[in-house]
Amino acid sequence: EAQVTQNPRYLITVTGKKLTVTCSQNMNHEYMSWYRQDPGLGLRQIYYSMNVEVTDKGDVPEGYKVSRKEKRNFPLILESPSPNQTSLYFCATWTGGTGELFFGEGSRLTVL
Amino acid sequence: GDSVTQMEGPVTLSEEAFLTINCTYTATGYPSLFWYVQYPGEGLQLLLKATKADDKGSNKGFEATYRKETTSFHLEKGSVQVSDSAVYFCALSDQGYDKVIFGPGTSLSVIP
């Protein structure tokens, strides 16, 4: 079964405490991406990766880091989280062009 | 740059009512157009798509027609059910760019 798996699904943390949200896919897609979803703002892209060791900034990259050391994994790193990073985060893979995005189930992060 | 505009809602309908969610886009190239749906507590999933002008995408009783002359891709369903309650996102991908751009989403509630 085609899957995009994110962990953790829910997390409450405090300002400044580094955290990582993992994302793993089993579809062998080259393109992976992170989005955040906020009320009234829809989905905004944070970072994306076209292939292993190739990453690029999306629309709202400030405060985030990513890495792509393996094709299947694309972790999102918050080095020093702040309350404005409280959000619902989605990892997605894409076949590109006219293809379909496949989303994980989301990770709800609260930063106190 | 490319963008997607859609009615934000929330939209509340009675079961068996007719649904229209408006979506218009701005793009420099010839984009592919999508509707994604997000059920409560889940990630987004593709509902339907159209890749060129005058194409009609359809799935689960939903339809949308790619109208190049009006740059629109309105979502319609003739008779909604309670199970259609979800957030609906219009999106585009332009083959000149390696990303998908989303509208803000429209929340739909269907009451019995």
PDB file of all heavy atoms in Angstrom, chain A residues 9 31 35 37 42-43 45 50 59 88 90 94 97-101 103-105, chain B residues 32 34 36 38 41-44 46 49 51 89 93 95 98-100 102-104:
ATOM      1  N   ARG A   9       2.541  12.265  15.371  1.00  0.00           N
ATOM      2  CA  ARG A   9       1.288  12.830  14.894  1.00  0.00           C
ATOM      3  C   ARG A   9       0.887  14.046  15.733  1.00  0.00           C
ATOM      4  O   ARG A   9       0.267  14.976  15.246  1.00  0.00           O
ATOM      5  CB  ARG A   9       0.186  11.784  14.971  1.00  0.00           C
ATOM      6  CG  ARG A   9       0.367  10.605  14.031  1.00  0.00           C
ATOM      7  CD  ARG A   9       0.094  10.987  12.582  1.00  0.00           C
ATOM      8  NE  ARG A   9      -1.110  11.767  12.410  1.00  0.00           N
ATOM      9  CZ  ARG A   9      -2.327  11.270  12.372  1.00  0.00           C
ATOM     10  NH1 ARG A   9      -2.512   9.957  12.476  1.00  0.00           N
ATOM     11  NH2 ARG A   9      -3.389  12.061  12.194  1.00  0.00           N
ATOM     12  N   TYR A  31      10.401  13.406  -5.626  1.00  0.00           N
ATOM     13  CA  TYR A  31      10.016  14.708  -5.075  1.00  0.00           C
ATOM     14  C   TYR A  31       9.314  14.535  -3.740  1.00  0.00           C
ATOM     15  O   TYR A  31       8.351  13.773  -3.631  1.00  0.00           O
ATOM     16  CB  TYR A  31       9.078  15.390  -6.070  1.00  0.00           C
ATOM     17  CG  TYR A  31       8.683  16.809  -5.718  1.00  0.00           C
ATOM     18  CD1 TYR A  31       9.230  17.887  -6.386  1.00  0.00           C
ATOM     19  CD2 TYR A  31       7.729  17.063  -4.741  1.00  0.00           C
ATOM     20  CE1 TYR A  31       8.855  19.193  -6.092  1.00  0.00           C
ATOM     21  CE2 TYR A  31       7.350  18.354  -4.437  1.00  0.00           C
ATOM     22  CZ  TYR A  31       7.912  19.413  -5.113  1.00  0.00           C
ATOM     23  OH  TYR A  31       7.539  20.691  -4.813  1.00  0.00           O
ATOM     24  N   TYR A  35       4.662  20.970   4.036  1.00  0.00           N
ATOM     25  CA  TYR A  35       3.724  22.074   4.061  1.00  0.00           C
ATOM     26  C   TYR A  35       3.298  22.319   5.501  1.00  0.00           C
ATOM     27  O   TYR A  35       3.287  21.414   6.322  1.00  0.00           O
ATOM     28  CB  TYR A  35       2.460  21.749   3.265  1.00  0.00           C
ATOM     29  CG  TYR A  35       2.653  21.561   1.787  1.00  0.00           C
ATOM     30  CD1 TYR A  35       3.022  20.330   1.262  1.00  0.00           C
ATOM     31  CD2 TYR A  35       2.448  22.618   0.902  1.00  0.00           C
ATOM     32  CE1 TYR A  35       3.193  20.154  -0.095  1.00  0.00           C
ATOM     33  CE2 TYR A  35       2.610  22.450  -0.465  1.00  0.00           C
ATOM     34  CZ  TYR A  35       2.984  21.213  -0.951  1.00  0.00           C
ATOM     35  OH  TYR A  35       3.149  21.045  -2.308  1.00  0.00           O
ATOM     36  N   GLN A  37      -0.176  23.992   7.478  1.00  0.00           N
ATOM     37  CA  GLN A  37      -1.555  24.401   7.242  1.00  0.00           C
ATOM     38  C   GLN A  37      -2.022  25.233   8.420  1.00  0.00           C
ATOM     39  O   GLN A  37      -2.009  24.771   9.562  1.00  0.00           O
ATOM     40  CB  GLN A  37      -2.469  23.179   7.072  1.00  0.00           C
ATOM     41  CG  GLN A  37      -3.905  23.551   6.755  1.00  0.00           C
ATOM     42  CD  GLN A  37      -4.795  22.335   6.591  1.00  0.00           C
ATOM     43  OE1 GLN A  37      -4.424  21.218   6.935  1.00  0.00           O
ATOM     44  NE2 GLN A  37      -5.987  22.543   6.050  1.00  0.00           N
ATOM     45  N   GLY A  42      -4.519  28.385   4.236  1.00  0.00           N
ATOM     46  CA  GLY A  42      -4.384  27.206   3.395  1.00  0.00           C
ATOM     47  C   GLY A  42      -3.075  26.486   3.648  1.00  0.00           C
ATOM     48  O   GLY A  42      -2.546  26.482   4.758  1.00  0.00           O
ATOM     49  N   LEU A  43      -2.545  25.900   2.593  1.00  0.00           N
ATOM     50  CA  LEU A  43      -1.288  25.155   2.679  1.00  0.00           C
ATOM     51  C   LEU A  43      -0.154  26.010   2.131  1.00  0.00           C
ATOM     52  O   LEU A  43      -0.245  26.532   1.026  1.00  0.00           O
ATOM     53  CB  LEU A  43      -1.387  23.885   1.836  1.00  0.00           C
ATOM     54  CG  LEU A  43      -2.119  22.740   2.469  1.00  0.00           C
ATOM     55  CD1 LEU A  43      -2.672  21.825   1.420  1.00  0.00           C
ATOM     56  CD2 LEU A  43      -1.175  21.938   3.358  1.00  0.00           C
ATOM     57  N   GLN A  45       4.061  25.974   1.393  1.00  0.00           N
ATOM     58  CA  GLN A  45       5.194  25.074   1.265  1.00  0.00           C
ATOM     59  C   GLN A  45       6.384  25.599   2.061  1.00  0.00           C
ATOM     60  O   GLN A  45       6.756  26.767   1.943  1.00  0.00           O
ATOM     61  CB  GLN A  45       5.563  24.905  -0.200  1.00  0.00           C
ATOM     62  CG  GLN A  45       6.566  23.800  -0.457  1.00  0.00           C
ATOM     63  CD  GLN A  45       6.886  23.656  -1.931  1.00  0.00           C
ATOM     64  OE1 GLN A  45       7.189  24.626  -2.619  1.00  0.00           O
ATOM     65  NE2 GLN A  45       6.795  22.442  -2.446  1.00  0.00           N
ATOM     66  N   MET A  50      13.957  17.688  -4.691  1.00  0.00           N
ATOM     67  CA  MET A  50      13.760  17.043  -5.990  1.00  0.00           C
ATOM     68  C   MET A  50      14.432  15.676  -6.063  1.00  0.00           C
ATOM     69  O   MET A  50      14.108  14.874  -6.934  1.00  0.00           O
ATOM     70  CB  MET A  50      14.316  17.937  -7.091  1.00  0.00           C
ATOM     71  CG  MET A  50      13.661  19.284  -7.173  1.00  0.00           C
ATOM     72  SD  MET A  50      11.925  19.153  -7.600  1.00  0.00           S
ATOM     73  CE  MET A  50      12.069  18.519  -9.272  1.00  0.00           C
ATOM     74  N   ASP A  59       7.899  28.581   0.276  1.00  0.00           N
ATOM     75  CA  ASP A  59       7.417  29.942   0.527  1.00  0.00           C
ATOM     76  C   ASP A  59       7.673  30.440   1.944  1.00  0.00           C
ATOM     77  O   ASP A  59       7.779  31.642   2.175  1.00  0.00           O
ATOM     78  CB  ASP A  59       5.905  30.001   0.243  1.00  0.00           C
ATOM     79  CG  ASP A  59       5.595  29.634  -1.190  1.00  0.00           C
ATOM     80  OD1 ASP A  59       6.278  30.155  -2.094  1.00  0.00           O
ATOM     81  OD2 ASP A  59       4.671  28.813  -1.404  1.00  0.00           O
ATOM     82  N   LEU A  88      -0.241  22.759  11.842  1.00  0.00           N
ATOM     83  CA  LEU A  88      -0.421  21.393  11.361  1.00  0.00           C
ATOM     84  C   LEU A  88       0.504  21.209  10.164  1.00  0.00           C
ATOM     85  O   LEU A  88       0.418  21.969   9.195  1.00  0.00           O
ATOM     86  CB  LEU A  88      -1.879  21.169  10.967  1.00  0.00           C
ATOM     87  CG  LEU A  88      -2.265  19.799  10.412  1.00  0.00           C
ATOM     88  CD1 LEU A  88      -1.933  18.699  11.407  1.00  0.00           C
ATOM     89  CD2 LEU A  88      -3.763  19.782  10.082  1.00  0.00           C
ATOM     90  N   PHE A  90       2.289  18.871   7.103  1.00  0.00           N
ATOM     91  CA  PHE A  90       2.095  17.744   6.202  1.00  0.00           C
ATOM     92  C   PHE A  90       3.337  17.510   5.359  1.00  0.00           C
ATOM     93  O   PHE A  90       3.910  18.445   4.801  1.00  0.00           O
ATOM     94  CB  PHE A  90       0.914  17.987   5.255  1.00  0.00           C
ATOM     95  CG  PHE A  90      -0.419  17.913   5.907  1.00  0.00           C
ATOM     96  CD1 PHE A  90      -1.105  19.062   6.248  1.00  0.00           C
ATOM     97  CD2 PHE A  90      -0.995  16.679   6.187  1.00  0.00           C
ATOM     98  CE1 PHE A  90      -2.342  18.992   6.869  1.00  0.00           C
ATOM     99  CE2 PHE A  90      -2.236  16.602   6.799  1.00  0.00           C
ATOM    100  CZ  PHE A  90      -2.907  17.753   7.140  1.00  0.00           C
ATOM    101  N   TRP A  94       5.406  13.634  -4.587  1.00  0.00           N
ATOM    102  CA  TRP A  94       4.780  14.075  -5.830  1.00  0.00           C
ATOM    103  C   TRP A  94       5.436  13.370  -6.989  1.00  0.00           C
ATOM    104  O   TRP A  94       6.654  13.215  -7.042  1.00  0.00           O
ATOM    105  CB  TRP A  94       4.946  15.587  -5.961  1.00  0.00           C
ATOM    106  CG  TRP A  94       4.204  16.227  -7.083  1.00  0.00           C
ATOM    107  CD1 TRP A  94       2.993  15.854  -7.610  1.00  0.00           C
ATOM    108  CD2 TRP A  94       4.613  17.381  -7.818  1.00  0.00           C
ATOM    109  NE1 TRP A  94       2.637  16.706  -8.607  1.00  0.00           N
ATOM    110  CE2 TRP A  94       3.590  17.657  -8.761  1.00  0.00           C
ATOM    111  CE3 TRP A  94       5.724  18.216  -7.770  1.00  0.00           C
ATOM    112  CZ2 TRP A  94       3.658  18.729  -9.647  1.00  0.00           C
ATOM    113  CZ3 TRP A  94       5.797  19.291  -8.647  1.00  0.00           C
ATOM    114  CH2 TRP A  94       4.783  19.536  -9.570  1.00  0.00           C
ATOM    115  N   GLY A  97       4.702  17.228 -12.521  1.00  0.00           N
ATOM    116  CA  GLY A  97       3.899  17.574 -13.690  1.00  0.00           C
ATOM    117  C   GLY A  97       2.412  17.505 -13.432  1.00  0.00           C
ATOM    118  O   GLY A  97       1.863  18.187 -12.583  1.00  0.00           O
ATOM    119  N   THR A  98       1.740  16.611 -14.157  1.00  0.00           N
ATOM    120  CA  THR A  98       0.290  16.479 -14.013  1.00  0.00           C
ATOM    121  C   THR A  98      -0.085  15.443 -12.975  1.00  0.00           C
ATOM    122  O   THR A  98      -1.251  15.075 -12.833  1.00  0.00           O
ATOM    123  CB  THR A  98      -0.339  16.064 -15.356  1.00  0.00           C
ATOM    124  OG1 THR A  98       0.188  14.786 -15.720  1.00  0.00           O
ATOM    125  CG2 THR A  98      -0.016  17.064 -16.445  1.00  0.00           C
ATOM    126  N   GLY A  99       0.900  14.976 -12.246  1.00  0.00           N
ATOM    127  CA  GLY A  99       0.654  13.905 -11.308  1.00  0.00           C
ATOM    128  C   GLY A  99       0.056  14.351  -9.999  1.00  0.00           C
ATOM    129  O   GLY A  99      -0.245  15.517  -9.782  1.00  0.00           O
ATOM    130  N   GLU A 100      -0.066  13.441  -9.128  1.00  0.00           N
ATOM    131  CA  GLU A 100      -0.785  13.594  -7.868  1.00  0.00           C
ATOM    132  C   GLU A 100       0.181  13.741  -6.711  1.00  0.00           C
ATOM    133  O   GLU A 100       1.234  13.095  -6.668  1.00  0.00           O
ATOM    134  CB  GLU A 100      -1.640  12.340  -7.683  1.00  0.00           C
ATOM    135  CG  GLU A 100      -2.347  12.193  -6.384  1.00  0.00           C
ATOM    136  CD  GLU A 100      -3.139  10.902  -6.321  1.00  0.00           C
ATOM    137  OE1 GLU A 100      -3.230  10.195  -7.354  1.00  0.00           O
ATOM    138  OE2 GLU A 100      -3.665  10.589  -5.249  1.00  0.00           O
ATOM    139  N   LEU A 101      -0.191  14.574  -5.765  1.00  0.00           N
ATOM    140  CA  LEU A 101       0.515  14.659  -4.484  1.00  0.00           C
ATOM    141  C   LEU A 101      -0.062  13.619  -3.545  1.00  0.00           C
ATOM    142  O   LEU A 101      -1.280  13.455  -3.461  1.00  0.00           O
ATOM    143  CB  LEU A 101       0.329  16.042  -3.862  1.00  0.00           C
ATOM    144  CG  LEU A 101       1.265  17.168  -4.300  1.00  0.00           C
ATOM    145  CD1 LEU A 101       0.699  18.506  -3.864  1.00  0.00           C
ATOM    146  CD2 LEU A 101       2.645  16.973  -3.721  1.00  0.00           C
ATOM    147  N   PHE A 103      -0.174  12.695   0.439  1.00  0.00           N
ATOM    148  CA  PHE A 103       0.075  13.338   1.725  1.00  0.00           C
ATOM    149  C   PHE A 103       0.129  12.333   2.866  1.00  0.00           C
ATOM    150  O   PHE A 103      -0.584  11.321   2.861  1.00  0.00           O
ATOM    151  CB  PHE A 103      -1.045  14.338   2.039  1.00  0.00           C
ATOM    152  CG  PHE A 103      -0.944  15.612   1.255  1.00  0.00           C
ATOM    153  CD1 PHE A 103      -1.478  15.698  -0.032  1.00  0.00           C
ATOM    154  CD2 PHE A 103      -0.334  16.731   1.793  1.00  0.00           C
ATOM    155  CE1 PHE A 103      -1.389  16.873  -0.756  1.00  0.00           C
ATOM    156  CE2 PHE A 103      -0.251  17.916   1.077  1.00  0.00           C
ATOM    157  CZ  PHE A 103      -0.771  17.981  -0.202  1.00  0.00           C
ATOM    158  N   GLY A 104       0.951  12.657   3.863  1.00  0.00           N
ATOM    159  CA  GLY A 104       0.869  11.977   5.132  1.00  0.00           C
ATOM    160  C   GLY A 104      -0.358  12.446   5.912  1.00  0.00           C
ATOM    161  O   GLY A 104      -1.093  13.341   5.465  1.00  0.00           O
ATOM    162  N   GLU A 105      -0.545  11.882   7.087  1.00  0.00           N
ATOM    163  CA  GLU A 105      -1.748  12.181   7.871  1.00  0.00           C
ATOM    164  C   GLU A 105      -1.623  13.463   8.683  1.00  0.00           C
ATOM    165  O   GLU A 105      -2.591  13.900   9.291  1.00  0.00           O
ATOM    166  CB  GLU A 105      -2.068  11.011   8.778  1.00  0.00           C
ATOM    167  CG  GLU A 105      -2.528   9.775   7.993  1.00  0.00           C
ATOM    168  CD  GLU A 105      -2.989   8.681   8.914  1.00  0.00           C
ATOM    169  OE1 GLU A 105      -2.275   8.379   9.884  1.00  0.00           O
ATOM    170  OE2 GLU A 105      -4.078   8.122   8.665  1.00  0.00           O
TER     171      GLU A 105
ATOM    172  N   SER B  32      -1.888  22.321 -14.994  1.00  0.00           N
ATOM    173  CA  SER B  32      -2.835  21.267 -14.658  1.00  0.00           C
ATOM    174  C   SER B  32      -3.587  21.719 -13.412  1.00  0.00           C
ATOM    175  O   SER B  32      -3.029  22.406 -12.559  1.00  0.00           O
ATOM    176  CB  SER B  32      -2.103  19.957 -14.366  1.00  0.00           C
ATOM    177  OG  SER B  32      -1.467  19.495 -15.519  1.00  0.00           O
ATOM    178  N   PHE B  34      -6.340  20.825 -10.115  1.00  0.00           N
ATOM    179  CA  PHE B  34      -6.695  19.730  -9.216  1.00  0.00           C
ATOM    180  C   PHE B  34      -7.709  20.214  -8.181  1.00  0.00           C
ATOM    181  O   PHE B  34      -7.733  21.386  -7.804  1.00  0.00           O
ATOM    182  CB  PHE B  34      -5.452  19.251  -8.441  1.00  0.00           C
ATOM    183  CG  PHE B  34      -4.280  18.874  -9.306  1.00  0.00           C
ATOM    184  CD1 PHE B  34      -3.394  19.835  -9.746  1.00  0.00           C
ATOM    185  CD2 PHE B  34      -4.070  17.553  -9.659  1.00  0.00           C
ATOM    186  CE1 PHE B  34      -2.307  19.500 -10.543  1.00  0.00           C
ATOM    187  CE2 PHE B  34      -2.978  17.203 -10.449  1.00  0.00           C
ATOM    188  CZ  PHE B  34      -2.102  18.171 -10.887  1.00  0.00           C
ATOM    189  N   TYR B  36      -8.333  18.800  -4.304  1.00  0.00           N
ATOM    190  CA  TYR B  36      -7.986  17.884  -3.224  1.00  0.00           C
ATOM    191  C   TYR B  36      -9.036  18.012  -2.119  1.00  0.00           C
ATOM    192  O   TYR B  36      -9.597  19.086  -1.908  1.00  0.00           O
ATOM    193  CB  TYR B  36      -6.611  18.206  -2.645  1.00  0.00           C
ATOM    194  CG  TYR B  36      -5.457  17.732  -3.498  1.00  0.00           C
ATOM    195  CD1 TYR B  36      -4.994  18.480  -4.572  1.00  0.00           C
ATOM    196  CD2 TYR B  36      -4.832  16.519  -3.218  1.00  0.00           C
ATOM    197  CE1 TYR B  36      -3.942  18.037  -5.346  1.00  0.00           C
ATOM    198  CE2 TYR B  36      -3.777  16.065  -3.998  1.00  0.00           C
ATOM    199  CZ  TYR B  36      -3.341  16.830  -5.061  1.00  0.00           C
ATOM    200  OH  TYR B  36      -2.295  16.386  -5.826  1.00  0.00           O
ATOM    201  N   GLN B  38      -9.842  17.128   2.080  1.00  0.00           N
ATOM    202  CA  GLN B  38      -9.285  16.774   3.397  1.00  0.00           C
ATOM    203  C   GLN B  38     -10.431  16.444   4.341  1.00  0.00           C
ATOM    204  O   GLN B  38     -11.158  17.341   4.785  1.00  0.00           O
ATOM    205  CB  GLN B  38      -8.449  17.925   3.945  1.00  0.00           C
ATOM    206  CG  GLN B  38      -7.775  17.614   5.266  1.00  0.00           C
ATOM    207  CD  GLN B  38      -7.007  18.803   5.810  1.00  0.00           C
ATOM    208  OE1 GLN B  38      -7.341  19.953   5.540  1.00  0.00           O
ATOM    209  NE2 GLN B  38      -5.964  18.542   6.578  1.00  0.00           N
ATOM    210  N   GLY B  41      -9.327  15.146  10.372  1.00  0.00           N
ATOM    211  CA  GLY B  41      -8.256  14.363  10.972  1.00  0.00           C
ATOM    212  C   GLY B  41      -7.357  13.633   9.994  1.00  0.00           C
ATOM    213  O   GLY B  41      -6.531  12.811  10.412  1.00  0.00           O
ATOM    214  N   GLU B  42      -7.496  13.920   8.715  1.00  0.00           N
ATOM    215  CA  GLU B  42      -6.705  13.208   7.717  1.00  0.00           C
ATOM    216  C   GLU B  42      -5.883  14.170   6.871  1.00  0.00           C
ATOM    217  O   GLU B  42      -6.072  15.384   6.908  1.00  0.00           O
ATOM    218  CB  GLU B  42      -7.621  12.392   6.806  1.00  0.00           C
ATOM    219  CG  GLU B  42      -8.419  11.324   7.524  1.00  0.00           C
ATOM    220  CD  GLU B  42      -9.252  10.496   6.556  1.00  0.00           C
ATOM    221  OE1 GLU B  42      -9.062  10.619   5.338  1.00  0.00           O
ATOM    222  OE2 GLU B  42     -10.095   9.724   7.048  1.00  0.00           O
ATOM    223  N   GLY B  43      -4.968  13.610   6.096  1.00  0.00           N
ATOM    224  CA  GLY B  43      -4.237  14.395   5.113  1.00  0.00           C
ATOM    225  C   GLY B  43      -5.084  14.626   3.869  1.00  0.00           C
ATOM    226  O   GLY B  43      -6.178  14.086   3.732  1.00  0.00           O
ATOM    227  N   LEU B  44      -4.558  15.447   2.973  1.00  0.00           N
ATOM    228  CA  LEU B  44      -5.283  15.713   1.734  1.00  0.00           C
ATOM    229  C   LEU B  44      -5.169  14.516   0.802  1.00  0.00           C
ATOM    230  O   LEU B  44      -4.169  13.798   0.803  1.00  0.00           O
ATOM    231  CB  LEU B  44      -4.690  16.941   1.020  1.00  0.00           C
ATOM    232  CG  LEU B  44      -5.035  18.310   1.570  1.00  0.00           C
ATOM    233  CD1 LEU B  44      -4.312  18.602   2.862  1.00  0.00           C
ATOM    234  CD2 LEU B  44      -4.704  19.389   0.529  1.00  0.00           C
ATOM    235  N   LEU B  46      -6.240  13.397  -3.444  1.00  0.00           N
ATOM    236  CA  LEU B  46      -6.709  13.903  -4.732  1.00  0.00           C
ATOM    237  C   LEU B  46      -8.155  13.493  -4.956  1.00  0.00           C
ATOM    238  O   LEU B  46      -8.517  12.324  -4.811  1.00  0.00           O
ATOM    239  CB  LEU B  46      -5.835  13.354  -5.855  1.00  0.00           C
ATOM    240  CG  LEU B  46      -6.197  13.812  -7.262  1.00  0.00           C
ATOM    241  CD1 LEU B  46      -5.952  15.312  -7.419  1.00  0.00           C
ATOM    242  CD2 LEU B  46      -5.398  13.040  -8.310  1.00  0.00           C
ATOM    243  N   LYS B  49      -8.856  15.741 -11.270  1.00  0.00           N
ATOM    244  CA  LYS B  49      -7.921  16.635 -11.926  1.00  0.00           C
ATOM    245  C   LYS B  49      -8.278  16.811 -13.400  1.00  0.00           C
ATOM    246  O   LYS B  49      -9.032  16.006 -13.957  1.00  0.00           O
ATOM    247  CB  LYS B  49      -6.484  16.131 -11.802  1.00  0.00           C
ATOM    248  CG  LYS B  49      -6.180  14.894 -12.639  1.00  0.00           C
ATOM    249  CD  LYS B  49      -4.716  14.497 -12.496  1.00  0.00           C
ATOM    250  CE  LYS B  49      -4.371  13.344 -13.427  1.00  0.00           C
ATOM    251  NZ  LYS B  49      -2.955  12.920 -13.277  1.00  0.00           N
ATOM    252  N   THR B  51      -6.056  18.211 -17.055  1.00  0.00           N
ATOM    253  CA  THR B  51      -4.717  18.609 -17.477  1.00  0.00           C
ATOM    254  C   THR B  51      -4.701  19.563 -18.662  1.00  0.00           C
ATOM    255  O   THR B  51      -3.641  20.108 -18.984  1.00  0.00           O
ATOM    256  CB  THR B  51      -3.877  17.370 -17.814  1.00  0.00           C
ATOM    257  OG1 THR B  51      -4.553  16.637 -18.838  1.00  0.00           O
ATOM    258  CG2 THR B  51      -3.710  16.485 -16.585  1.00  0.00           C
ATOM    259  N   PHE B  89      -9.748  21.809  -1.452  1.00  0.00           N
ATOM    260  CA  PHE B  89      -8.679  22.692  -1.907  1.00  0.00           C
ATOM    261  C   PHE B  89      -8.564  22.623  -3.427  1.00  0.00           C
ATOM    262  O   PHE B  89      -8.406  21.538  -3.994  1.00  0.00           O
ATOM    263  CB  PHE B  89      -7.323  22.280  -1.321  1.00  0.00           C
ATOM    264  CG  PHE B  89      -7.191  22.477   0.148  1.00  0.00           C
ATOM    265  CD1 PHE B  89      -7.563  21.480   1.035  1.00  0.00           C
ATOM    266  CD2 PHE B  89      -6.674  23.661   0.657  1.00  0.00           C
ATOM    267  CE1 PHE B  89      -7.436  21.652   2.406  1.00  0.00           C
ATOM    268  CE2 PHE B  89      -6.532  23.846   2.020  1.00  0.00           C
ATOM    269  CZ  PHE B  89      -6.916  22.840   2.889  1.00  0.00           C
ATOM    270  N   SER B  93      -0.669  22.975 -10.855  1.00  0.00           N
ATOM    271  CA  SER B  93       0.758  22.783 -11.078  1.00  0.00           C
ATOM    272  C   SER B  93       1.056  23.207 -12.507  1.00  0.00           C
ATOM    273  O   SER B  93       0.381  22.790 -13.441  1.00  0.00           O
ATOM    274  CB  SER B  93       1.190  21.335 -10.851  1.00  0.00           C
ATOM    275  OG  SER B  93       0.773  20.501 -11.897  1.00  0.00           O
ATOM    276  N   GLN B  95       3.690  23.280 -15.513  1.00  0.00           N
ATOM    277  CA  GLN B  95       4.798  22.414 -15.915  1.00  0.00           C
ATOM    278  C   GLN B  95       6.118  23.152 -15.994  1.00  0.00           C
ATOM    279  O   GLN B  95       7.171  22.551 -16.071  1.00  0.00           O
ATOM    280  CB  GLN B  95       4.474  21.747 -17.247  1.00  0.00           C
ATOM    281  CG  GLN B  95       3.401  20.689 -17.104  1.00  0.00           C
ATOM    282  CD  GLN B  95       3.140  19.960 -18.405  1.00  0.00           C
ATOM    283  OE1 GLN B  95       3.252  20.523 -19.471  1.00  0.00           O
ATOM    284  NE2 GLN B  95       2.778  18.691 -18.316  1.00  0.00           N
ATOM    285  N   ASP B  98       8.304  23.394 -10.491  1.00  0.00           N
ATOM    286  CA  ASP B  98       8.244  22.118  -9.805  1.00  0.00           C
ATOM    287  C   ASP B  98       7.520  22.261  -8.472  1.00  0.00           C
ATOM    288  O   ASP B  98       8.074  21.973  -7.427  1.00  0.00           O
ATOM    289  CB  ASP B  98       9.659  21.590  -9.591  1.00  0.00           C
ATOM    290  CG  ASP B  98      10.322  21.250 -10.917  1.00  0.00           C
ATOM    291  OD1 ASP B  98       9.680  20.561 -11.717  1.00  0.00           O
ATOM    292  OD2 ASP B  98      11.452  21.692 -11.128  1.00  0.00           O
ATOM    293  N   LYS B  99       6.280  22.736  -8.539  1.00  0.00           N
ATOM    294  CA  LYS B  99       5.534  22.854  -7.301  1.00  0.00           C
ATOM    295  C   LYS B  99       4.050  22.857  -7.599  1.00  0.00           C
ATOM    296  O   LYS B  99       3.630  23.067  -8.734  1.00  0.00           O
ATOM    297  CB  LYS B  99       5.928  24.131  -6.559  1.00  0.00           C
ATOM    298  CG  LYS B  99       5.539  25.418  -7.253  1.00  0.00           C
ATOM    299  CD  LYS B  99       6.088  26.642  -6.520  1.00  0.00           C
ATOM    300  CE  LYS B  99       5.612  26.734  -5.101  1.00  0.00           C
ATOM    301  NZ  LYS B  99       6.121  27.961  -4.422  1.00  0.00           N
ATOM    302  N   VAL B 100       3.287  22.611  -6.546  1.00  0.00           N
ATOM    303  CA  VAL B 100       1.836  22.689  -6.605  1.00  0.00           C
ATOM    304  C   VAL B 100       1.405  23.862  -5.733  1.00  0.00           C
ATOM    305  O   VAL B 100       1.864  23.985  -4.605  1.00  0.00           O
ATOM    306  CB  VAL B 100       1.192  21.379  -6.109  1.00  0.00           C
ATOM    307  CG1 VAL B 100      -0.330  21.496  -6.103  1.00  0.00           C
ATOM    308  CG2 VAL B 100       1.627  20.216  -6.992  1.00  0.00           C
ATOM    309  N   PHE B 102      -1.676  25.881  -3.853  1.00  0.00           N
ATOM    310  CA  PHE B 102      -3.011  25.612  -3.321  1.00  0.00           C
ATOM    311  C   PHE B 102      -3.777  26.902  -3.065  1.00  0.00           C
ATOM    312  O   PHE B 102      -3.205  27.927  -2.698  1.00  0.00           O
ATOM    313  CB  PHE B 102      -2.904  24.848  -2.000  1.00  0.00           C
ATOM    314  CG  PHE B 102      -2.479  23.424  -2.156  1.00  0.00           C
ATOM    315  CD1 PHE B 102      -1.131  23.091  -2.179  1.00  0.00           C
ATOM    316  CD2 PHE B 102      -3.411  22.418  -2.296  1.00  0.00           C
ATOM    317  CE1 PHE B 102      -0.731  21.781  -2.330  1.00  0.00           C
ATOM    318  CE2 PHE B 102      -3.025  21.099  -2.449  1.00  0.00           C
ATOM    319  CZ  PHE B 102      -1.683  20.783  -2.470  1.00  0.00           C
ATOM    320  N   GLY B 103      -5.088  26.809  -3.215  1.00  0.00           N
ATOM    321  CA  GLY B 103      -5.966  27.839  -2.710  1.00  0.00           C
ATOM    322  C   GLY B 103      -6.122  27.703  -1.208  1.00  0.00           C
ATOM    323  O   GLY B 103      -5.604  26.760  -0.600  1.00  0.00           O
ATOM    324  N   PRO B 104      -6.863  28.604  -0.565  1.00  0.00           N
ATOM    325  CA  PRO B 104      -6.967  28.608   0.900  1.00  0.00           C
ATOM    326  C   PRO B 104      -7.856  27.510   1.469  1.00  0.00           C
ATOM    327  O   PRO B 104      -7.842  27.276   2.675  1.00  0.00           O
ATOM    328  CB  PRO B 104      -7.561  29.984   1.210  1.00  0.00           C
ATOM    329  CG  PRO B 104      -8.294  30.350  -0.038  1.00  0.00           C
ATOM    330  CD  PRO B 104      -7.524  29.769  -1.168  1.00  0.00           C
TER     331      PRO B 104
END
